[in-house]
Amino acid sequence: MEYFARPGQKLIVHLKNVADLFKAFEEIHIQDKQILKEISEMIAYFHDFGKYTTYFQEKLQGKSSFSKLSNHSYVSSITLASYLMDNYKTEYLILPAFMVVLSHHSDLSSVYDEIPYIKANEKIEENKLSEIIKKLDELHYERLNTLFRQFDDILNNFEKIQKEYNTVGIQIKKEYFLKTKVIETIQNLRKKLLSFEDEDEKTKEDIALKTQLLYSVLIDSDKKDAATLPKSERKCIPEVIVEKYAEKLTNNDNLMSEIRVALRKDTLSTIENQPLEKLYGRVITLTAPTGAGKTLTILVAALKLRSRIEKEIGYTPRIIYSLPYISIIEQNLSIEEILEQLPDYPEYKESYLTAHYHLAEIEEISTNEQDTQITKNMIKCNYS
């Protein structure tokens, strides 16, 4: 049997594609990057593991109607958790990884709702399984009974599935699909959850943010591959482009022009001369009256600050311009006038700037791969 993620795309190809898209994770400047990269790769390779069941494949081929047995999120998340516990043991990101895969076709839910309480035993015996799961609520009772049937199906085709995972360097074991192993995995997930309760607030916040990060990257990568979107290329926006635009607006005989020039000069002096640790990772505010040129000043400050981060840290962060009102968003799309100085802006408009809000119009663009990019991408480059 060949295994497919969707009509026309083999499952192992989809998993590889999502793992490759996850490599964009490397651009993020964050603590514990190496372990995050490793865990994120496993998330990519296991997020659709449940599609290896005969139930899913027959539904995909139209041979059977939809049933709970063809669902794949829970079976994928439990398999991932078992694999990670076997290979990473004490790693705290196992629980976030479990939740990310479980929720990748829905919203992130409460972890307390998703991991049932099963009393810890020194040894889980096969003949006590029925007694254990009968004590669970209806949701988890049905979920585990469905999972056991799915795992029986996986075991019937284990060698074929194992062979596919061997091609990407991942060793899966038969023991991951035993009923006793499932209970043990759930117990360990519950232990990790309870251990988080004793952590300080800063650690809890770090766990929450990394969970959201892993979830976001999975959703983004999964949907991009499903839509066959090409990999985005970050376009160049030079930091001097704002000054070139501002020069056209300057009127030396106008008091407001003098105020705008002074505001940009003072702001840039701060960005250029303050120690980076006082700027990067901090909240920086700019207060000035209406008409003083805050939009241009903030934009050039962001470009200058990013340039420093790139030179001193070796990381190129993205610039996200977040505004509170639709009217202000539309007003500040005048930023386009700045970007129109770039020779290729008309051709690659969507690669430079995208307004993202619920009333934004999606413009029809050419089928050129470069034109299909849908995110705001800004990096430093030379400009003359």
Side-chain angles (χ1 to χ4, degrees):
M1 175 191 290
E2 285 191 306
Y3 298 96
F4 290 86
R6 57 187 55 85
Q9 186 184 41
K10 291 184 178 180
L11 180 51
I12 195 64
V13 171
H14 171 61
L15 299 179
K16 287 178 181 178
N17 289 347
V18 173
D20 286 342
L21 287 167
F22 253 83
K23 290 179 181 176
F25 198 92
E26 297 175 5
E27 298 177 8
I28 300 172
H29 184 68
I30 193 172
Q31 289 184 338
D32 305 323
K33 179 184 282 191
Q34 184 56 42
I35 189 62
L36 276 165
K37 284 168 59 178
E38 292 177 25
I39 297 297
S40 68
E41 184 178 20
M42 293 305 105
I43 288 173
Y45 279 121
F46 281 95
H47 80 280
D48 275 352
F49 180 85
K51 292 184 177 181
Y52 277 102
T53 64
T54 304
Y55 307 112
F56 179 86
Q57 293 299 315
E58 289 184 348
K59 186 194 79 168
L60 193 64
Q61 297 167 21
K63 294 181 179 179
S64 64
S65 58
F66 175 83
S67 73
K68 290 182 179 180
L69 290 168
S70 63
N71 291 345
H72 68 277
S73 294
Y74 188 65
V75 60
S76 300
S77 61
I78 287 289
T79 305
L80 170 65
S82 294
Y83 176 86
L84 292 178
M85 287 174 183
D86 187 30
N87 290 275
Y88 292 87
K89 300 187 186 303
T90 60
E91 176 52 48
Y92 77 94
L93 287 172
I94 293 175
L95 183 55
F98 165 81
M99 287 300 299
V100 164
V101 171
L102 178 63
S103 307
H104 79 279
H105 285 299
S106 60
D107 296 327
L108 279 169
S109 55
S110 169
V111 65
Y112 287 95
D113 294 337
E114 303 297 351
I115 304 175
Y117 170 73
I118 298 177
K119 187 177 180 180
N121 295 318
E122 291 184 3
K123 185 177 180 180
I124 304 298
E125 297 178 3
E126 182 85 24
N127 60 3
K128 293 184 178 180
L129 284 175
S130 296
E131 181 181 340
I132 290 173
I133 66 172
K134 280 181 180 178
K135 295 178 181 179
L136 302 178
D137 59 49
E138 183 178 355
L139 169 66
H140 290 101
Y141 175 79
E142 292 184 0
R143 182 182 271 181
L144 282 180
N145 276 300
T146 299
L147 180 69
F148 290 158
R149 289 182 63 183
Q150 290 172 315
F151 274 1
D152 285 342
D153 180 75
I154 292 290
L155 288 171
N156 288 336
N157 301 288
F158 178 76
E159 284 73 20
K160 294 178 182 178
I161 299 169
Q162 184 185 49
K163 186 176 180 180
E164 291 213 352
Y165 268 78
N166 285 342
T167 65
V168 294
I170 295 176
Q171 302 295 320
I172 57 173
K173 301 176 182 178
K174 277 190 175 181
E175 67 181 69
Y176 299 160
F177 311 103
L178 301 178
K179 295 179 178 65
T180 52
K181 183 64 175 179
V182 171
I183 301 302
E184 180 185 330
T185 295
I186 291 173
Q187 288 176 320
N188 286 330
L189 286 171
R190 191 77 185 185
K191 288 177 185 176
K192 288 186 178 295
L193 174 59
L194 296 178
S195 71
F196 286 172
E197 294 180 352
D198 296 327
E199 298 290 350
D200 57 56
E201 290 304 312
K202 184 177 180 180
T203 301
K204 290 179 181 178
E205 182 179 274
D206 180 66
I207 293 169
L209 289 173
K210 286 176 179 173
T211 301
Q212 291 283 357
L213 175 62
L214 291 169
Y215 176 72
S216 175
V217 177
L218 175 59
I219 299 300
D220 181 67
S221 302
D222 194 22
K223 291 188 175 183
K224 280 181 178 176
D225 185 60
T228 65
L229 289 175
K231 186 176 180 180
S232 297
E233 176 187 350
R234 297 180 69 178
K235 302 294 288 184
C236 297
I237 297 183
E239 58 188 63
V240 297
I241 193 173
V242 180
E243 287 300 311
K244 284 182 172 289
Y245 177 78
E247 287 173 5
K248 299 176 183 178
L249 304 179
T250 300
N251 182 346
N252 294 327
D253 297 328
N254 186 295
L255 177 60
M256 188 55 73
S257 291
E258 293 179 13
I259 292 173
R260 289 168 183 160
V261 171
L263 179 65
R264 286 199 302 278
K265 183 178 178 180
D266 289 347
T267 301
L268 291 180
S269 176
T270 299
I271 297 297
E272 291 169 353
N273 298 317
Q274 285 288 330
L276 189 58
E277 58 268 22
K278 290 188 176 182
L279 302 171
Y280 183 48
R282 303 294 184 92
V283 175
I284 307 169
T285 63
L286 176 65
T287 303
T290 300
K294 293 189 293 295
T295 298
L296 293 183
T297 301
I298 290 170
L299 181 56
V300 72
L303 290 167
K304 290 282 187 182
L305 179 56
R306 182 172 61 182
S307 179
R308 282 197 62 187
I309 294 167
E310 186 178 36
K311 291 174 183 176
E312 297 180 33
I313 298 180
Y315 161 62
T316 309
R318 295 178 184 272
I319 296 174
I320 300 172
Y321 192 0
S322 179
L323 299 166
Y325 304 111
I326 291 175
S327 59
I328 299 178
I329 293 173
E330 292 174 339
Q331 172 188 329
N332 281 278
L333 285 179
S334 59
I335 289 174
E336 282 192 278
E337 295 178 12
I338 301 171
L339 298 176
E340 283 171 354
Q341 298 176 97
L342 298 169
D344 64 344
Y345 180 73
E347 185 179 2
Y348 299 114
K349 179 178 177 181
E350 292 294 323
S351 298
Y352 281 106
L353 176 68
T354 298
H356 186 74
Y357 59 103
H358 77 289
L359 294 180
E361 295 182 1
I362 300 175
E363 296 185 23
E364 185 175 347
I365 52 180
S366 75
T367 56
N368 183 297
E369 286 190 356
Q370 297 299 324
D371 291 339
T372 60
Q373 298 172 44
I374 57 171
T375 56
K376 182 192 300 182
N377 301 305
M378 300 180 175
I379 64 172
K380 175 182 176 295
C381 65
N382 294 321
Y383 177 76
S384 58

